[in-house]
Amino acid sequence: MLQEERIRPIPALSPAGGPPEDRPGDRTRVKPFPMSPGEEIFAPNLPDEPQSMQFEVRVSGSICELRLNDAIAAALAKHPMSRARLVSGRFLARAPRWAIGRVGAEGVVCSEVIDNEEALNSLRDEFYSSLPDLRKAPAIRALLVHRLGGDSLLFNIHHSLMDGIGAIRWVNSVARAYAGRADPVPEVDPLSVRDLSAFVPECAPTTSVEVAPQTSSGIVSGVARVVDRDEPGFGIVHQVISAEQCDRFDPSVYGRDTTVNDLLLAGLHLTIERWNRVCGGDSHRISILVPVNLRPIEWSNEVASMVVIVDRNATTPNDRADHRALVAAVTSQMNRIRSGPGFSRFLGRPEWVRWLISNTILPMILYTPRVVPVSIKGPVDSMLFANMGRIDRKISGFGPGAGDLTEFWASPPVTMPMGLGMDAAFLRGRIHLALRYRRALFDRRAALQFLEIYLRSLTELAGAVDPDLPVRHDERSASDGPDSSRD
C-alpha cells in the first residue's frame, strides 16, 4: 500500500502507557460499538467471493504447530480488532456493531503435508475461497503446510477486521511471539484510529484537486472475461521478479518523481489494454483502484485496524499510446493521491453529508446494489493494485528453527464484475507478485498468461526484464496469448 506521509492524526489520541493488560486498546470491550464505513464494505456475506485476505509466508526451515498456536494466541491478545466479532447487522441507519472479548487460538490452526506445487496451488485456492465466520471470534484462520525446502504458513484474515498493513502488523506479532522476541506497540489506541475523521490532511486548505482523466464517453473498460461459467471462489497465481531483473528498473529515466511503484502501475494499464485487444474487448478508460495507507510516518507499519482509503489511477487511450505519456499520467496521479486531496474533499463536506453517505448511500450500494443508479455508484473499476512495500522491514523472522523468510505473498479479495487484483511485495531485492482472480473471470491458465503479458509490458517500460532471462512462475507457464476458446 502507498504510504501517505502528509496526513496525520489529530494529537488527542489515547496514550498506551502501563502494562499491556491496562492499555486502552487491549481492554475487553463488553459494550458493542459500530463498524466504520471501511469495515462495513467487507462485512456482507458473499459466499461466491468471500472477503478473505491472503497473507502467506515461507521459511527455509520448519514451524512447530504447538508453538505456532501459542504465538497466534499472543498476537490475538495484543491486537483488539483481531478479536472482534459481529454482534448485530445493519438496521436502517444504524451501522453493524462489533464486540471485542477475550478469545484463544482454538480452532485457528490446521496443518497439511504437501509434496508438490500442484497440490499446494489447489489447497491455497480452496483455503482463500472460504471465509472465517465474522460472528465468531477470531475471524482468522491459519494453515501450516509442511513441505520440502521449507514450510509455508498461510493466514486467511477477514478483511473487515483490518486492512493490509494491519494484517502485516498482526502477522508480525505472530512471528515475534514464535521467536520469543519483544513486540512493542505504538502509543495510540487501535480502536480510536479507525475513525478516519480523526485524520486531518495538513494540505487541505490549499491543495488544488487534479481531476482524474476521462474519455469523451466516460466508459471504464474492465479486464476481458475468458470463461463462460459463474464458478464461485478465487484462484491465485504467484510470480517472482528476480533481484537481477529488479536491478534493471530505472524509473528515473521518466523523471525524478517517478517511482518503481509508478512503473508497476503503468505496466498494468498497458497489460489490460493488450489483454483486451487479444481477447476482442474494449480499452477505453482503464481505472485501477489503489489503497492508500493513512497511518502517519511515525507508525506507518503499525496498528492492526482499518486505516486506509482507496483512490483511482486512470489512463486514456491517448495516454497509453506513448510510454512516456503513460508513465507521466500515472506518476502525476500518484503524486496527487499521495498528497491526499481526495480525502480532504470528503472531510471538507458538512458532517450531515458525510453521515448521509456513510449511513444511506453506502448501505444501499452494499445491500441493494441493483436499485442504485450507476450515476451514484459510479463505474466499475478495471482492477485493484496494492503495494505492500519492503517486507524485510515489516515482518520479523520466526527464529532459528524456522530459518530465513524466503517468500511473502499477499492478495486482496475482489468481486465481480471487476474480479481481478494484484499485490506486490519486495523481499530481499525481489518483487513477489500475487495475482488473485475470480474463477468467474479467469482460469489458472488465463491468469498465468496475463502475468506473462505484464512482464513483457514491464520490459518495454523500464528495461526491468530481459526477454532472454527466465521468468519463474509458481508452475509451468502457459503459451503466449490467451486462448478464449478452451472453455
Side-chain angles (χ1 to χ4, degrees), residues 255-306:
R256 63 180 183 179
D257 291 338
T258 302
T259 67
V260 171
N261 184 77
D262 298 334
L263 293 182
L264 294 175
L265 260 173
L268 279 178
H269 283 280
L270 200 56
T271 299
I272 293 171
E273 180 178 67
R274 291 173 172 179
W275 174 268
N276 287 358
R277 184 187 306 144
V278 173
C279 294
D282 296 323
S283 294
H284 299 289
R285 181 180 178 224
I286 292 174
S287 176
I288 299 178
L289 280 179
V290 182
V292 183
N293 179 15
L294 294 181
R295 297 163 175 83
I297 194 65
E298 294 81 6
W299 42 277
S300 60
N301 297 312
E302 297 288 340
V303 182
S305 301
M306 183 76 72

Side-chain angles (χ1 to χ4, degrees), residues 25 42 53 56-57 68 80 83 129 140 167 178 193-194 196 208 210 231 236 250 309 340 376 382 399 402 423 483:
F42 302 100
M53 289 194 293
E56 178 178 341
V57 299
L68 175 63
R83 308 192 304 275
S129 293
I140 297 172
Y178 187 93
V193 297
R194 297 163 44 255
L196 299 188
S208 60
E210 176 186 338
E231 185 177 349
I236 301 172
D250 186 12
I309 58 170
I376 294 178
S382 309
D423 250 297
D483 178 7

